[in-house]
Amino acid sequence: MGESSMINTGVLQRNPFPGNRPFFPAEDQLFFGRDKAVSELLGILLKRRFVALVGASACGKSSLIQSGVIPALLSDMKEEWVPIYIRPGRRPMESLIRGIQQVFSKKISESDVHSFLKSSKSIGNFLIEKGLGNYHYFLVVDQFEELFTWPVAVKRRRSGKNPDSLHFINHLMRLVDEEEPRIFLMLSIRSDFLDYCSTYRVLTEHLNRSKYLLPQMSRNDLTEAILEPLRVAGATVETGFEEYLLNDLEEVEPQLPLMQHALKQTWNQWKRRGETDQPVSLDDYKAGGTIRGGLSRDLENLYQSLEFYQKEICERIFKTIAYKTGREEAFSRRTTLGNIARIAKCGVDRVVEVVEIFDKAGHPFLGYQHSAPLSSESEIELSHESLINIWDRLHHWVDEEDESIRMYLKLSKASASYQQGKGTLLVTTELQKAIDWRKLQNPTPAWGIQFDPAFERAIVFLNTSEEEYIWSEKRKIIIQRRKRILNRSIIIGIIVIAAAVALVIYISQNRPVETDQQVQTVAQEPLSEQHSQQLSHTDNRQVTEEVAPRSQDNREMEQTTEESEDQAVIDREETTTDVVVAQPEPVVTRNGEPDPVTTRGKETEIILSLVKDVAYQSVGISRNTDLQGLLAYQSYLLNKKYEGDAFDPDIYKGLYEALKKLVSPAYNIYPSLRHSIRAMDWLDRSGSILAASSDGSIKILSGNIADRAAQINLAGTGYNNECLGISPDERIAAVGTSGGGMLFIELENRGEVIHQNREQGDIVLFIENLGSSGSFLSAGTSNKILKWDYNSFSPTMLFTLMSRPLALATSHDGSLAAIGTGSGRLYSLKVSDPSGIKEVNRFGSNQVRALTFSPGQRYLAAGMLDGSVKVLSVDGKRTIANLFGPGARVSALEFSPDGRFLVAASNDGNVYLWNALKWGDPPLVFTENNGFVLSLCFNRNGSYFYSGSVNYPRMVGRPTDPDQMAEDFCSLLGRNLTREEWNQYFGEDIPFEESCPR
């Protein structure tokens, strides 16, 4: 060891170096090397009441303010200074008022904070009103670049000025010019974000007048920063110690964080030696890790010491708090432990466990407030953004996360274009990249909504693209197989024909010569007999021609059973479609009597046809609301008078569209729903709807459209909700989630979670009640089918499918269940005998994506991948009708409680309603929902149905009965039709009448 250059005056117990974090205000006695900068900053601040401290990342701006400027200002005994230190964060105005509240906690209440945020008053006026206008305020806005780096701020900045940032900046600039109270403002800005400030004119003017560019510390300043804290702490160093460190510093960037970390580790190593009477040596420095590589190595060693599950959580923590912009600028951002837990799909306790491991190791890499125990609301961040470039693993994580975010935003943009009809589904290379991204990153809704709220839309778009691509590829294979079979058939046919010709030639050449008598006998046969034989021969030939190809196909099928299996399914479907669509079911009324239309006179038919035509025309009238309403309503009245179809699509559409004009286009739209409605069910006791959203929230919404704004927010699940079921007594709801398995919530206790079970797996996709038995079935990605009890929360394993379930339905009495799988198969079973499960149908690559039984178990409806709906017999074996309308995958199906209507939700963003008594009629199409429509339900008597979707409007309620819509029409109309209008639309042959007698 060399000679000591200092005298030992007693050693401090705590480390005098902060390591890789800024100095705190209470550590000003350990802060050295910036005296000149402190003096110059204060000179500008006191002269102009504003100064912007500009410097590169990791040059020590925060330490300079907290341990240099603030203590120097407080030492001024002439004025009573009140320092207020804030960072803008996601909500800058709230950060400002919260910073003041923290200083005056007894004088500023929560209600004061909320009232200020709702008002337009300035902070100065607010302080004066609270009797706090006599102080000199030193307002520090550190890390001012946060205004431009939050994901939402970045998105808004790309489209122009961020309104939140603009309001905050203008507010700050006005404070500087106000006489009272006296507020002195200091901004701390990274130099690589300085050009962003030029977007704001007032800010630019102040920056040009009062900007201080922080220089790098000189060699003398660095020497002071190394030796003086050791002197204050009572330690000595050997000669040449500081020169060795300074030489190492010349080869690294950023200098200050690496130097502080190395000095902290050196101090710890020196204290561990237990020889505090000896000077701090270069051996201590080298053993502690040195400046070059020490910090990166410490971080990597700490990471490698974690358990496997802790490493996964650690990666998610750093990916959430470390970020970079499109210009490759690295920065740190704050987030809560609860948010990280939701993204990582783990408990908050697991996240706390990892954070505390870093803290207890003596490395404050994750900055947070130590004043309170860690909880889901605790915020953490990187202690310094320089870590991103120092630790190789973190740098790789940030790059990986940046690529993941770009892919997600690209998907979100593509899904929006597809939804608007301007784009197509992903194919080939782009699709494969997106699928690889999904497998590698396993994105969650909590992660996605940080960057774009349309997570559900993007993921459904990706899944749909994948399914459509797989389907098209399978279709190509089937077509190729069909060509091979056809080619074989042609070859065999040619061989058979050639053999037949050869046989005929052979027979003709070897046939014995007939006698003249035989020839004469044949010639004398009666013409009628010859004609009869000819007809008989013709009939037999036709029959043979019909049967022969089938027999030939059968022989070919026997030879190529495995190849042609899928084609047989397609042929069977196409044949069924042709027959059923051409021969729809006979039309009957509710009482089973023949429809009056078939028995009414020709004149009545003409009148009803005219009435329907006027109702159809009314929809196209856009500028005369009264005329549109009158024509729709009068058409309804005449249709009823002449005993037309009570549920005629044109009459319904006329009333529905007119009602939206007369009341409001949003009269049936549920407001204030911010996330996708994944599942919904009817609550009979309260006449309301239980809705589960993709963000984990659970809400009770009014079933009365007039009260649609009313909602009760329950506690929620904390996971991505997928499906739900309600117990017969409506006390308990079962919620299937993505990440949390099955959760049971108590509806009478604000929706608190009372039980959680993962026996179904982490992802539960379907829940179907078994009548009123108090039991239900569930299915998920584990391929298990489980039977549950609402009271005991306990499941019973029924069986495991070979392929993933894509649809599940149970009959209304709970006796039957139907399951559609990813292999294109449809299974049916009696719930009392699950071992008797049978495959009842096979649809190839056109998978079943939704199922529902009709009341009375007459039908089983299946929504298909291609958008069609198949009405099957209750056993699923026979196709009764093929329904068309949806332009994309059917995502949900529901029969009305009386069985009269079938409604389908589709990924094309529309909802389709069929009259179950007239399968041959086209569906009513409703277009109000936006984005993929995911959920449906009817009210108790089937008079209303509701649909939930990904984007706003996320929930819409609609009547099924035209009589309901017509009830209040006269109160909405200001007049009756004139005779001229009547004659123009209805003609003179129909007697004039007042639609609404006055």
Side-chain angles (χ1 to χ4, degrees):
M1 280 191 184
E3 296 179 0
S4 172
S5 60
M6 295 183 185
I7 299 173
N8 188 347
T9 58
V11 178
L12 291 177
Q13 293 300 312
R14 66 184 182 88
N15 200 312
F17 299 101
N20 193 48
R21 66 161 175 80
F23 280 86
F24 294 146
E27 295 172 327
D28 59 299
Q29 76 277 12
L30 301 172
F31 181 74
F32 293 94
R34 286 293 195 186
D35 291 343
K36 182 180 178 183
V38 170
S39 176
E40 291 173 344
L41 276 169
L42 286 177
I44 299 172
L45 178 69
L46 296 174
K47 181 179 179 181
R48 301 187 182 275
R49 290 179 56 187
F50 172 84
V51 64
L53 173 60
V54 181
S57 175
C59 70
K61 297 185 295 297
S62 296
S63 295
L64 173 61
I65 294 171
Q66 295 194 83
S67 291
V69 177
I70 291 178
L73 200 61
L74 293 176
S75 65
D76 180 9
M77 304 303 293
K78 299 178 182 178
E79 304 289 349
E80 189 172 1
W81 288 94
V82 176
I84 298 171
Y85 181 89
I86 69 165
R87 288 169 50 183
R90 190 187 300 268
R91 293 177 289 273
M93 288 303 296
E94 183 175 347
S95 298
L96 177 58
I97 188 64
R98 294 286 183 192
I100 296 173
Q101 183 193 30
Q102 191 173 7
V103 176
F104 300 105
S105 57
K106 294 183 178 179
K107 293 188 176 183
I108 301 177
S109 65
E110 277 297 308
S111 61
D112 292 330
V113 170
H114 293 307
S115 62
F116 170 78
L117 292 173
K118 291 179 181 179
S119 70
S120 58
K121 67 177 67 172
S122 71
I123 280 290
N125 291 336
F126 174 80
L127 291 172
I128 292 172
E129 288 178 6
K130 302 300 292 184
L132 302 171
N134 297 325
Y135 298 101
H136 277 55
Y137 291 93
F138 177 42
L139 175 59
V140 177
V141 184
D142 197 7
Q143 300 193 30
F144 191 73
E145 62 272 6
E146 285 185 351
L147 287 176
F148 318 116
T149 56
W150 281 98
V152 174
V154 171
K155 186 175 181 180
R156 289 177 175 175
R157 175 165 47 82
R158 287 171 181 163
S159 60
K161 293 181 180 179
N162 180 359
D164 293 338
S165 300
L166 179 62
H167 176 58
F168 179 67
I169 289 171
N170 289 340
H171 197 102
L172 291 180
M173 297 304 104
R174 284 196 298 269
L175 292 178
V176 175
D177 298 328
E178 291 178 354
E179 289 298 323
E180 289 187 357
R182 300 279 288 175
I183 297 179
F184 294 75
L185 176 64
M186 176 181 283
L187 309 181
S188 169
I189 310 173
R190 269 173 54 176
S191 54
D192 47 346
F193 285 90
L194 193 59
D195 60 329
Y196 290 146
C197 299
S198 61
T199 309
Y200 305 91
R201 184 181 58 82
V202 178
L203 175 61
T204 304
E205 292 174 355
H206 280 80
L207 286 173
N208 289 336
R209 289 197 301 267
S210 305
K211 179 172 77 263
Y212 183 82
L213 187 61
L214 184 63
Q216 284 193 336
M217 295 178 70
S218 66
R219 195 174 180 90
N220 289 336
D221 293 336
L222 291 171
T223 300
E224 188 178 347
I226 294 171
L227 297 180
E228 287 303 309
L230 290 170
R231 180 187 63 78
V232 172
T236 60
V237 298
E238 67 179 7
T239 303
F241 176 83
E242 68 275 17
E243 287 297 324
Y244 193 92
L245 266 65
L246 290 173
N247 291 336
D248 277 358
L249 272 178
E250 292 178 355
E251 302 177 11
V252 297
E253 284 290 343
Q255 292 183 341
L256 296 184
L258 292 172
M259 181 187 77
Q260 287 292 336
H261 176 76
L263 288 169
K264 181 175 183 177
Q265 296 300 95
T266 300
W267 174 275
N268 291 337
Q269 180 64 28
W270 176 69
K271 289 292 295 290
R272 277 194 293 269
R273 278 202 290 130
E275 300 175 351
T276 55
D277 58 331
Q278 298 295 318
V280 177
S281 67
L282 287 175
D283 291 337
D284 297 320
Y285 166 68
K286 293 174 182 177
T290 75
I291 288 173
R292 291 178 291 183
L295 179 52
S296 180
R297 185 174 62 251
D298 287 347
L299 279 164
E300 186 63 26
N301 291 339
L302 190 54
Y303 171 78
Q304 294 297 342
S305 69
L306 300 175
E307 301 290 338
F308 178 78
Y309 75 90
Q310 292 175 331
K311 288 181 178 178
E312 290 186 329
I313 296 172
C314 176
E315 179 178 349
R316 179 41 56 196
I317 290 174
F318 278 102
K319 281 185 172 181
T320 305
I321 64 177
Y323 191 69
K324 71 177 183 180
T325 68
R327 301 194 318 184
E328 304 297 315
E329 302 127 335
F331 64 89
S332 168
R333 66 177 179 216
R334 284 171 287 173
T335 192
T336 64
L337 298 184
N339 186 47
I340 293 174
R342 285 189 292 272
I343 294 172
K345 294 196 286 191
C346 68
V348 175
D349 56 327
R350 290 293 180 91
V351 180
V352 171
E353 180 182 316
V354 175
V355 172
E356 289 181 340
I357 287 174
F358 277 83
D359 189 52
K360 290 176 181 178
H363 307 297
F365 302 129
L366 301 171
Y368 64 90
Q369 298 296 326
H370 289 68
S371 57
L374 290 173
S375 67
S376 62
E377 299 302 317
S378 299
E379 291 188 333
I380 66 168
E381 62 180 340
L382 280 179
S383 56
H384 204 284
E385 67 267 9
S386 61
L387 285 177
I388 297 173
N389 295 317
I390 291 172
W391 186 19
D392 292 339
R393 182 178 295 277
L394 179 55
H395 190 275
H396 171 73
W397 280 344
V398 170
D399 286 342
E400 192 177 76
E401 183 75 350
D402 183 62
E403 290 179 7
S404 180
I405 294 168
R406 290 174 187 271
M407 173 58 75
Y408 167 63
L409 294 177
K410 187 176 181 180
L411 272 178
S412 180
K413 184 178 180 181
S415 67
S417 296
Y418 177 72
Q419 177 183 303
Q420 296 164 7
K422 299 178 181 178
T424 60
L425 294 173
L426 300 177
V427 293
T428 57
T429 305
E430 289 299 317
L431 176 60
Q432 190 58 54
K433 288 180 180 178
I435 293 172
D436 293 342
W437 164 79
R438 184 185 60 192
K439 290 180 179 178
L440 178 65
Q441 301 298 331
N442 190 24
T444 63
W447 175 84
I449 60 176
Q450 298 177 108
F451 315 105
D452 192 308
F455 177 82
E456 194 71 31
R457 182 188 68 196
I459 296 302
V460 172
F461 171 75
L462 173 56
N463 293 341
T464 303
S465 298
E466 182 181 15
E467 290 163 357
E468 291 286 348
Y469 180 76
I470 292 171
W471 184 28
S472 65
E473 290 301 304
K474 287 184 177 179
R475 184 84 180 183
K476 291 177 184 177
I477 294 171
I478 291 171
I479 292 172
Q480 290 173 356
R481 289 174 180 172
R482 173 183 280 182
K483 288 180 179 179
R484 288 199 299 268
I485 293 171
L486 181 60
N487 291 337
R488 290 196 193 103
S489 301
I490 292 172
I491 293 170
I492 293 171
I494 292 172
I495 294 172
V496 170
I497 292 171
V501 171
L503 180 61
V504 169
I505 294 172
Y506 174 79
I507 293 173
S508 64
Q509 289 177 347
N510 293 277
R511 184 176 60 186
V513 179
E514 295 176 341
T515 64
D516 293 340
Q517 184 177 359
Q518 289 173 323
V519 173
Q520 185 178 0
T521 303
V522 172
Q524 292 176 352
E525 288 179 354
L527 179 62
S528 60
E529 183 179 348
Q530 185 178 4
H531 181 65
S532 175
Q533 289 176 353
Q534 183 178 352
L535 290 176
S536 176
H537 172 71
T538 302
D539 292 341
N540 289 335
R541 185 179 62 193
Q542 289 176 346
V543 172
T544 304
E545 287 174 351
E546 289 178 2
V547 174
R550 294 179 188 171
S551 301
Q552 182 174 316
D553 287 346
N554 289 338
R555 288 195 300 272
E556 195 64 36
M557 291 288 286
E558 290 173 2
Q559 296 171 9
T560 57
T561 301
E562 183 177 356
E563 288 186 358
S564 59
E565 184 179 280
D566 288 337
Q567 184 57 46
V569 172
I570 290 175
D571 290 341
R572 182 169 70 247
E573 289 181 11
E574 291 173 350
T575 302
T576 304
T577 301
D578 293 340
V579 173
V580 173
V581 171
Q583 300 178 5
E585 283 195 326
V587 179
V588 295
T589 64
R590 286 181 184 267
N591 299 323
E593 298 295 331
D595 195 299
V597 172
T598 61
T599 59
R600 62 172 68 100
K602 186 175 182 180
E603 183 180 347
T604 302
E605 288 284 356
I606 294 173
I607 292 174
L608 288 173
S609 177
L610 174 63
V611 165
K612 291 165 59 177
D613 185 58
V614 173
Y616 177 79
Q617 290 181 57
S618 72
V619 176
I621 298 174
S622 58
R623 297 186 178 181
N624 192 334
T625 303
D626 273 347
L627 179 59
Q628 180 184 359
L630 284 165
L631 292 177
Y633 183 54
Q634 187 60 53
S635 297
Y636 158 79
L637 293 175
L638 290 172
N639 183 71
K640 196 168 187 178
K641 178 179 179 179
Y642 288 94
E643 298 182 347
D645 182 3
F647 294 93
D648 181 85
D650 291 326
I651 300 297
Y652 181 101
K653 199 69 173 177
L655 288 173
Y656 184 72
E657 295 299 328
L659 199 59
K660 289 200 293 183
K661 291 281 185 66
L662 291 167
V663 180
S664 165
Y667 93 98
N668 57 342
I669 291 173
Y670 283 72
S672 305
L673 299 174
R674 301 182 181 278
H675 300 278
S676 306
I677 305 297
R678 294 304 306 265
M680 62 174 74
D681 212 340
W682 182 255
L683 291 168
D684 201 36
R685 288 195 301 174
S686 58
S688 53
I689 304 156
L690 185 67
S693 297
S694 58
D695 66 331
S697 62
I698 306 285
K699 293 180 172 62
I700 296 178
L701 307 171
S702 174
N704 184 353
I705 289 178
D707 299 327
R708 62 192 181 281
Q711 59 178 255
I712 300 173
N713 294 311
L714 303 184
T717 63
Y719 298 94
N720 180 21
N721 298 325
E722 294 286 347
C723 53
L724 62 82
I726 302 172
S727 63
D729 60 6
E730 298 185 1
R731 288 180 50 254
I732 304 295
V735 184
T737 68
S738 177
M742 184 75 72
L743 281 80
F744 292 86
I745 64 175
E746 194 171 13
L747 295 178
E748 296 179 346
N749 187 26
R750 304 294 294 177
E752 294 293 335
V753 176
I754 55 177
H755 186 75
Q756 184 173 8
N757 189 303
R758 296 179 184 267
E759 290 189 45
Q760 181 74 69
D762 284 343
I763 302 178
V764 182
L765 298 175
F766 306 103
I767 292 175
E768 290 289 333
N769 277 4
L770 295 174
S772 57
S773 65
S775 302
F776 65 91
L777 297 186
S778 70
T781 55
S782 66
N783 297 355
K784 299 175 184 177
I785 305 297
L786 271 60
K787 180 180 178 182
W788 300 75
D789 183 86
Y790 276 110
N791 294 319
S792 64
F793 314 131
S794 58
T796 302
M797 173 77 165
L798 298 187
F799 50 83
T800 301
L801 296 164
M802 296 297 293
S803 181
R804 175 177 163 178
L806 299 181
L808 172 67
T810 57
S811 60
H812 284 236
D813 63 0
S815 62
L816 302 177
I819 306 167
T821 68
S823 62
R825 291 169 167 82
L826 177 64
Y827 294 92
S828 179
L829 69 142
K830 291 183 178 180
V831 177
S832 60
D833 182 23
S835 62
I837 183 173
K838 296 179 181 178
E839 178 187 325
V840 294
N841 220 321
R842 190 179 297 187
F843 300 103
S845 55
N846 190 19
Q847 304 155 335
V848 176
R849 303 312 300 255
L851 286 167
T852 185
F853 284 93
S854 67
Q857 299 169 204
R858 183 180 182 186
Y859 303 122
L860 172 64
M864 313 304 290
L865 177 63
D866 67 354
S868 64
V869 175
K870 296 182 180 297
V871 181
L872 308 170
S873 57
V874 72
D875 59 7
K877 295 180 179 179
R878 182 169 57 92
T879 302
I880 294 171
N882 282 289
L883 310 178
F884 300 97
R889 182 175 90 188
V890 176
S891 52
L893 281 173
E894 197 76 31
F895 273 103
S896 60
D898 59 3
R900 187 173 184 85
F901 300 103
L902 173 65
V903 63
S906 172
N907 278 6
D908 67 2
N910 298 330
V911 177
Y912 299 81
L913 181 72
W914 284 274
N915 185 344
L917 301 181
K918 291 185 177 182
W919 292 127
D921 285 357
L924 281 167
V925 183
F926 301 91
T927 60
E928 296 93 343
N929 285 99
N930 196 8
F932 303 115
V933 187
L934 304 175
S935 53
L936 298 165
C937 80
F938 280 88
N939 65 354
R940 181 183 183 184
N941 60 14
S943 59
Y944 277 86
F945 71 97
Y946 310 84
S947 59
S949 59
V950 171
N951 294 333
Y952 179 85
R954 293 185 171 86
M955 186 165 165
V956 183
R958 306 174 184 91
T960 58
D961 191 345
D963 291 342
Q964 288 180 303
M965 290 189 286
E967 284 179 356
D968 298 324
F969 249 74
C970 284
S971 64
L972 302 172
L973 297 169
R975 65 181 180 89
N976 282 296
L977 289 170
T978 66
R979 287 187 180 273
E980 290 77 14
E981 290 171 335
W982 181 281
N983 293 337
Q984 178 184 350
Y985 289 97
F986 294 105
E988 298 179 3
D989 294 336
I990 302 177
F992 174 81
E993 61 184 50
E994 288 189 342
S995 306
C996 301
R998 301 297 178 184

